Amino acid sequence: MTYENYTELLKNELVCALGCTEPIAVALAAAKAKKYLGSEPVSAVVLCSGNIIKNVKGVTVPNSGGMKGIDAAAALGITGGREKLDLEVLSEVTEEDIEKAKKFIEEGRMEVKLKEGVENLDIEIILKGSDGNEVTVEIKNRHNNVVKIIKNGEVIKEEVPGGDSSSLPQDMSVASIYDYACNTDLSEVRDLLKMQIDLNTAISREGLSGRWGSSIGSILLMDSTNLRDRARAKAAAGSDARMSGCSLPVVINAGSGNQGITCCMPVIEYAEEHGSVEETLMRALLISNLCALHIKSHIGRLSAFCGVTSAGAAAGAGIAYLETQDLKVIEDTISNALMIASGMVCDGAKPSCAAKIATAVDAGITGYNMARQGKNFSPGEGLMKDGVEETIDSIGRMAKEGMKDTDIEVLNIMLDR
């Protein structure tokens, strides 16, 4: 990976999103279909992969008046979505739009189905209009990656087989990420990182108000305000707000707001504690964001493996950079952290994600504390391999291939099947 490739990757992946990205992707598909329909929608069929159903079931759709579920996300996308706003598609929803969405659902005009045998991230919506028009829109592999638009049988857009540009690059390494983070011209990414710092800090502060979800962030600070607990709490607090419908935007990582929050808030907290200059903080954020993307490139955007585990390990790497600037310590931090929290299962997006974030950040910090003392796990112990790249690949294989059946069973349990 060249410096230019890494810069472009950051620009593509660190983007703004309003609300949990799975229901937002559903709303975006619906808003796109509405745009092309050209008439008043009378019915909708939404077909979603299991991971989309899993990640929408328990999370509150932002600007929805407290609604949850795929039907709510799709209906709101139809009645109030602004497709030009991409992953902030629901940012301009009105009370009238909410009432129309509720009516659309209550009148039985929305049908949701499981789409089997497809990629983990797949959303297809078929919208019919009052004049007989019909539009199909499909999003696949990335939350805003529209691969198909068909109106009345005419193909408006269709992805060429093998032409998917939404997958994460496979030629990253922790060493090349370190080189990039240490030496790249920050003017290329300063505005992007500043946006991540500002937006994710804002939603973290809102989460600490105690009004959202299970208030994991504020609970963590009840008995302790030491640096480690503050780092865990401020990451968890952002998820507290986001999973419960807060309308503040976040900067995501690998398609996930929770992962974007986890990558940055612990690093920001450690930087503030140490009085780090802006340049050092931003280079540490390059480490954490890119390491998270690197780990996820081996796993996939959605899976049975809890994504914040990757982000927590990456946050530990960012903290390691802040305090040591030592590549070996960074590599060992990642390997150690992945061994500590590698068993955490994704059972959908919901308020308890905040507690998982706290656990993942704790693993990242423990992994770093081990690494700086030279007390690392040894190759051959469980999934630990000889070197960070081999360990990341080991975790990726377990998550992507080994947990396929787990993913199916988690969905079955959630749906009581």
Side-chain angles (χ1 to χ4, degrees):
M1 289 277 286
T2 65
Y3 284 13
E4 291 78 12
N5 291 149
Y6 274 127
T7 298
E8 191 63 24
L9 177 64
L10 288 165
K11 290 178 178 178
N12 288 336
E13 295 294 336
L14 271 60
V15 297
C16 281
L18 178 75
C20 179
T21 45
E22 280 73 54
I24 289 301
V26 171
L28 180 59
K32 288 277 187 186
K34 168 74 176 298
K35 173 191 173 183
Y36 284 95
L37 191 64
S39 60
E40 189 64 26
V42 295
S43 68
V45 177
V46 189
L47 301 100
C48 296
S49 58
N51 270 266
I52 294 295
I53 291 176
K54 181 177 73 174
N55 282 328
V56 179
K57 186 175 183 291
V59 69
T60 302
V61 180
N63 289 339
S64 68
M67 291 193 291
K68 296 181 180 181
I70 289 172
D71 54 354
L76 208 55
I78 292 168
T79 62
R82 308 291 187 267
E83 56 91 20
K84 289 184 179 180
L85 298 179
D86 204 52
L87 294 177
E88 296 181 86
V89 60
L90 299 183
S91 61
E92 297 180 4
V93 169
T94 66
E95 288 298 325
E96 182 180 358
D97 295 330
I98 294 171
E99 292 308 311
K100 286 182 178 178
K102 289 179 178 177
K103 185 177 180 182
F104 197 94
I105 296 169
E106 290 167 359
E107 291 177 350
R109 294 194 275 158
M110 177 76 66
E111 186 177 5
V112 177
K113 296 180 179 179
L114 172 64
K115 190 175 184 181
E116 300 188 79
V118 295
E119 299 289 340
N120 285 348
L121 200 168
D122 197 307
I123 301 160
E124 185 174 355
I125 183 164
I126 303 165
L127 203 58
K128 293 184 179 180
S130 56
D131 58 0
N133 284 338
E134 180 177 299
V135 171
T136 298
V137 169
E138 184 178 9
I139 286 176
K140 186 165 68 172
N141 293 329
R142 184 171 174 170
H143 295 79
N144 58 353
N145 186 42
V146 178
V147 298
K148 181 171 67 178
I149 303 173
I150 298 174
K151 181 174 182 179
N152 298 331
E154 178 185 349
V155 176
I156 298 172
K157 176 180 180 177
E158 190 162 27
E159 185 182 87
V160 177
D164 174 36
S165 62
S166 66
S167 59
L168 293 165
Q170 299 295 303
D171 55 346
M172 291 185 276
S173 70
V174 177
S176 65
I177 288 169
Y178 176 80
D179 179 62
Y180 171 81
C182 289
N183 298 299
T184 195
D185 181 356
L186 284 178
S187 66
E188 296 289 325
V189 292
R190 179 172 277 107
D191 289 346
L192 186 64
L193 295 174
K194 185 71 165 57
M195 180 174 65
Q196 183 182 46
I197 292 167
D198 290 346
L199 294 185
N200 293 7
T201 297
I203 200 167
S204 172
R205 287 174 179 160
E206 176 61 25
L208 286 173
S209 68
R211 296 193 298 267
W212 301 96
S214 300
S215 303
I216 299 299
S218 56
I219 287 170
L220 285 170
L221 295 180
M222 286 175 58
D223 298 319
S224 173
T225 57
N226 65 42
L227 176 58
R228 184 177 188 138
D229 287 332
R230 293 201 312 271
R232 296 168 63 221
K234 292 191 176 181
S239 181
D240 280 327
R242 184 171 169 272
M243 293 290 94
S244 296
C246 177
S247 60
L248 291 175
V250 301
V251 171
I252 65 178
N253 181 291
S256 166
N258 279 348
Q259 290 167 54
I261 292 165
T262 305
C263 282
C264 72
M265 291 311 302
V267 181
I268 292 168
E269 191 63 23
Y270 268 73
E272 290 181 354
E273 173 74 11
H274 297 316
S276 302
V277 297
E278 181 184 73
E279 178 176 340
T280 304
L281 169 59
M282 289 194 167
R283 294 192 187 281
L285 287 174
L286 291 177
I287 293 282
S288 62
N289 280 299
L290 287 170
C291 283
L293 291 167
H294 177 30
I295 298 167
K296 288 291 286 185
S297 74
H298 290 255
I299 297 169
R301 293 181 189 272
L302 297 177
S303 71
F305 185 84
C306 180
V308 298
T309 303
S310 309
I319 292 167
Y321 176 86
L322 275 177
E323 296 196 346
T324 72
Q325 286 86 57
D326 187 310
L327 174 58
K328 186 177 187 309
V329 173
I330 291 167
E331 291 179 332
D332 289 343
T333 295
I334 293 169
S335 293
N336 291 335
L338 289 175
M339 292 305 98
I340 295 167
S342 60
M344 196 146 62
V345 172
C346 173
D347 55 345
K350 69 283 183 214
S352 67
C353 288
K356 291 188 175 186
I357 286 174
T359 298
V361 171
D362 193 70
I365 296 170
T366 297
Y368 165 57
N369 288 338
M370 292 173 62
R372 68 177 180 172
Q373 298 297 325
K375 300 291 186 180
N376 302 306
F377 298 122
S378 300
E381 295 177 359
L383 298 175
M384 188 78 164
K385 298 295 182 181
D386 188 13
V388 66
E389 300 306 330
E390 292 79 5
T391 299
I392 289 172
D393 186 64
S394 171
I395 291 292
R397 178 180 168 188
M398 180 271 293
K400 191 171 185 177
E401 302 300 330
M403 297 180 75
K404 281 183 177 179
D405 288 342
T406 301
D407 211 16
I408 294 169
E409 197 56 36
V410 166
L411 180 64
N412 287 337
I413 292 169
M414 289 179 66
L415 299 178
D416 292 323
R417 298 196 303 190

